Amino acid sequence: MVRASGGRMNEYSIPEFEAFMEKIGYKVEDLDRLNIIHVTGTKGKGSTCAFVSSIMQQIDSPHRLKVGLFTSPHLIEARERIQINGKPISKELFTKYFYETYNRLKSPTPPLRKVSPTSPDMPMYFRFLNLMAVRTFLSEGVDVAVMEVGVGGQYDSTNAVRKPVVCGIASLGLDHQSSLGSTIESVAWHKAGIIKDNVPAFTVPQEDAAIEVIRSRAAERNAPVAIAEPLPVGKYQLGIPGDHQRINAALAEALCREWIRVKMPNVDAAKVDSWVTDGICQASWPGRSQTFVSPRHQNLTWHVDGAHTVESMTACAKWFAGERANSSFKCVLLFNAAHERSFKDLLQTLKKHAGEGEFVEAIFCPNITNRADSQNSTVHKDEKLTQQHESARIWTELSGNTATKVLPSINAAVDYVNSKYGSDSSAETHVLATGSLHLVGGVLDAAKGSI
């Protein structure tokens, strides 16, 4: 059985992943054939990868590139994590490569090379999907693979690659502190672990302490580092909405231009400009600053964003404030944070930056859905809904609003919103669902039916 990793990150992580690669028939050098763009960060790394993938898909000279993307987490189906040309691989391909990977791992021959006495016999969930992505991309002949780090960087399984074309570090903040440490310097050390010998790296404006660590680690590897400044307002039309996306799009542009410089040195500069412009415009990233009208109730509009750190919640709240500026519609909040997050800090941040006007009601639910294939195995069961009731209490304390509701699942929360606010066709209601990508995935499934 493929299980959740439980945070196993140490110096054996990469050698163990290399041993699993050997077990399924590959050498670590095979990763070099994927011409990898490797991206880490605390917030914005997924959006950056989406911009990168979109830009690379515009390249049509001398032929249109086949672009792979490995990302996490998924919103509804696991196959979202392995994409080719901007789309999740088909169910048929997912099944094919799942069983090819699984059967080779379970086969008695060749024997698995044990890195240490405690090395596992099977990879954990994320690493299995990473192996599966490698097999998919190599078998399908992608020209470039955009690889998003899962957690950290130094010990992340995606860091098995030794010769990426270029590396990127998106905005940093405190997250996954049990694995990465409780200081920005420690986080930066882990993230900068993806920098490789003589491979160019790009980052975005960071705290001075983080930049110092990134530059130090890059110097150890003789790797040049440059800072991609946020795009000026209006330079490009952003396919992924939100003012904060100017930072992610700038990093993506820098990464793509460097990849093109290395791999396509003689290409016409005007073509490159066109690819970048079109790619940034056409980029999309479900679950981040996403808006859709309910297919069941036209008076009900959903705004979903997987913000789960203080920094990303600040960006989410400002985005929603812009969405509801100068409007008179009712606003409802649907919230949940994963068990290891500080939901009080997230709620305080949301209240501070969400703009004028109150939410008429705040709804809280655990990240539990009715779909067996979209359950988050790392979420702690909380049958008494303790965290949800505490979140409701904190929200009332922060906002003065006693109109709160605690419900047992995402589906129950969506049904409640549809029943209470969707049935009144004369009143326009906008719902902000945020606090967790798992929540957002469940909302997209239950309220929209797709990503």
Side-chain angles (χ1 to χ4, degrees), residues 167-179:
C167 300
I169 302 175
S171 299
L172 300 182
L174 298 181
D175 196 18
H176 299 289
Q177 293 184 42
S178 61
S179 299

Side-chain angles (χ1 to χ4, degrees), residues 154-221:
Q154 177 71 39
Y155 301 126
D156 190 77
S157 59
T158 62
N159 205 31
V161 59
R162 296 175 183 175
K163 294 181 180 178
V165 177
V166 63
C167 300
I169 302 175
S171 299
L172 300 182
L174 298 181
D175 196 18
H176 299 289
Q177 293 184 42
S178 61
S179 299
L180 307 182
S182 58
T183 67
I184 196 66
E185 291 90 345
S186 176
V187 171
W189 184 89
H190 278 275
K191 303 291 185 180
I194 72 167
I195 297 174
K196 299 298 188 300
D197 292 344
N198 303 301
V199 173
F202 292 85
T203 188
V204 298
Q206 313 274 10
E207 293 182 31
D208 289 345
I211 287 291
E212 185 176 337
V213 173
I214 292 170
R215 291 195 186 281
S216 174
R217 297 216 71 187
E220 293 170 3
R221 303 213 175 250

Side-chain angles (χ1 to χ4, degrees), residues 95-173:
T95 302
K96 167 184 166 66
Y97 291 119
F98 177 93
Y99 281 108
E100 284 187 9
T101 305
Y102 182 83
N103 290 338
R104 282 180 175 251
L105 288 168
K106 295 297 286 185
S107 172
T109 57
L112 176 66
R113 175 172 58 86
K114 284 284 192 173
V115 174
S116 77
T118 60
S119 292
D121 295 324
M122 285 287 285
M124 303 301 188
Y125 183 78
F126 178 85
R127 294 173 195 170
F128 179 90
L129 289 173
N130 191 171
L131 283 168
M132 190 176 151
V134 168
R135 186 169 192 84
T136 302
F137 295 156
L138 288 170
S139 299
E140 294 296 312
V142 303
D143 297 295
V144 53
V146 185
M147 303 295 287
E148 180 190 351
V149 167
V151 174
Q154 177 71 39
Y155 301 126
D156 190 77
S157 59
T158 62
N159 205 31
V161 59
R162 296 175 183 175
K163 294 181 180 178
V165 177
V166 63
C167 300
I169 302 175
S171 299
L172 300 182

Side-chain angles (χ1 to χ4, degrees), residues 427-438:
E428 185 178 358
T429 301
H430 288 233
V431 186
L432 172 63
T434 189
S436 162
L437 278 168
H438 298 294

